Amino acid sequence: MPRTVIAGNWKMHKTSAETRTFIETFLPLVAHVPRDVDIVIAPPFTALAAAHGALRQPARVRLGAQNVHWEPQGAYTGEISIAMLLEHGVDHVIVGHSERRTFNNEVDATVNLKVRALLAHGLTPIVAVGETLDEREAGITDERVIAQTRAALAGLESETLRRVVLAYEPIWAIGTGRNCDPLEAGRVMGAIRGCIDALRDVPILYGGSMKADNVAAYMAQPHINGGLVGGASLDASTFAALVRNATTR
Ligand code: PGA
């Protein structure tokens, strides 16, 4: 059985002070969520140190980053290495988010380099794939997301592949309030899972206007194991409600 993972992607939101305030409010609200559910928050790089301090050890909530460079060090202005993330207790890293593909030249080949580097250092990549509205309307959704998945995971052994987390995020559903129908999301996610044998037990998360009041409908789908949540992860009470609604059994 895949694990349940609910990850908050804060994007370019929150200072260190705002991050500490969020965590102080959030931790008590998720204290009773079952331990087999992984709750992750991914603040901006500048707030990771504050988040690591505020999460306390052993942390109920895991720390994620929104990007990483695959090289260990070097002349890469503006980039952040895996060692820098490890220093702040990061164990999950979002890779291939559509906003980075659109605005920051992220392509399948760099996604693959990042996934390999993260897995080699024992971190968990959250690999995001998804189709544009044009691709959906052209009827090539499955082809597109399967190609992205295969490219992101190319060259990895089955044993290693079992340590990834995937996220299906239809681009037209991100930040728009227009979420993908849960049945259709589950169908696409089943196609993603089916494209490589070793993905049988990896968590696949839905992302795109997931909210506290629609999360249960997604979690009811057999191939949906959690969420990658943007807007609804920014407020501690709202995100805690989403996590609870996702995990009530
Ligand atoms: P959203 O973002 O929940 O605000 O649609 C999801 C994401 O981009 O990961």
Side-chain angles (χ1 to χ4, degrees):
M1 259 302 266
R3 288 180 68 77
T4 300
V5 181
I6 307 287
N9 171 16
W10 287 1
K11 311 191 179 185
M12 198 172 73
H13 294 281
K14 294 195 194 294
T15 61
S16 297
E18 289 164 345
T19 298
R20 275 189 289 269
T21 304
F22 175 103
I23 290 171
E24 292 310 320
T25 312
F26 186 64
L27 286 181
L29 298 176
V30 294
H32 299 296
V33 171
R35 306 295 296 186
D36 59 350
V37 174
D38 291 343
I39 307 170
V40 182
I41 55 169
F45 291 135
T46 49
L48 288 174
H52 187 38
L55 284 174
R56 302 187 207 104
Q57 301 305 317
R60 174 66 192 89
V61 174
R62 293 165 176 275
L63 200 51
Q66 300 173 20
N67 184 34
V68 70
H69 199 281
W70 59 90
E71 291 290 346
Q73 61 199 18
Y76 301 102
T77 302
E79 295 291 336
I80 298 285
S81 73
I82 290 175
M84 294 168 192
L85 297 182
L86 285 170
E87 196 174 38
H88 294 300
V90 167
D91 50 30
H92 287 65
V93 181
I94 301 166
V95 179
H97 192 280
S98 61
E99 287 152 16
R100 294 207 63 85
R101 292 184 195 253
T102 304
F103 304 125
N104 301 89
N105 299 322
E106 184 85 285
V107 293
D108 286 341
T110 53
V111 172
N112 182 245
L113 288 168
K114 292 175 184 189
V115 170
R116 285 162 175 266
L118 289 166
L119 290 168
H121 288 84
L123 283 92
T124 303
I126 302 178
V127 183
V129 300
E131 83 286 2
T132 62
L133 192 55
D134 283 351
E135 288 164 345
R136 172 158 286 268
E137 286 172 350
I140 56 168
T141 295
D142 295 16
E143 187 183 313
R144 194 67 201 102
V145 297
I146 287 171
Q148 287 176 336
T149 305
R150 287 189 191 281
L153 306 179
L156 291 163
E157 305 282 337
S158 303
E159 268 317 299
T160 314
L161 273 184
R162 294 199 176 93
R163 295 195 281 115
V164 307
V165 173
L166 294 174
Y168 168 55
E169 299 205 305
I171 296 170
W172 48 271
I174 296 178
T176 57
R178 185 182 163 196
N179 57 308
C180 182
D181 175 66
L183 198 64
E184 168 59 9
R187 187 196 67 72
V188 176
M189 291 158 81
I192 294 171
R193 192 182 301 286
C195 82
I196 302 175
D197 279 351
L199 299 182
R200 198 178 50 216
D201 288 323
V202 309
I204 309 186
L205 320 183
Y206 170 77
S209 301
M210 186 178 256
K211 310 275 180 232
D213 62 7
N214 65 25
V215 65
Y218 288 102
M219 297 305 289
Q221 297 298 322
H223 288 294
I224 305 188
N225 312 115
L228 182 54
V229 185
S233 71
L234 292 173
D235 174 78
S237 314
T238 308
F239 191 41
L242 188 155
V243 172
R244 286 196 307 262
N245 291 352
T247 55
T248 305
R249 298 186 180 144

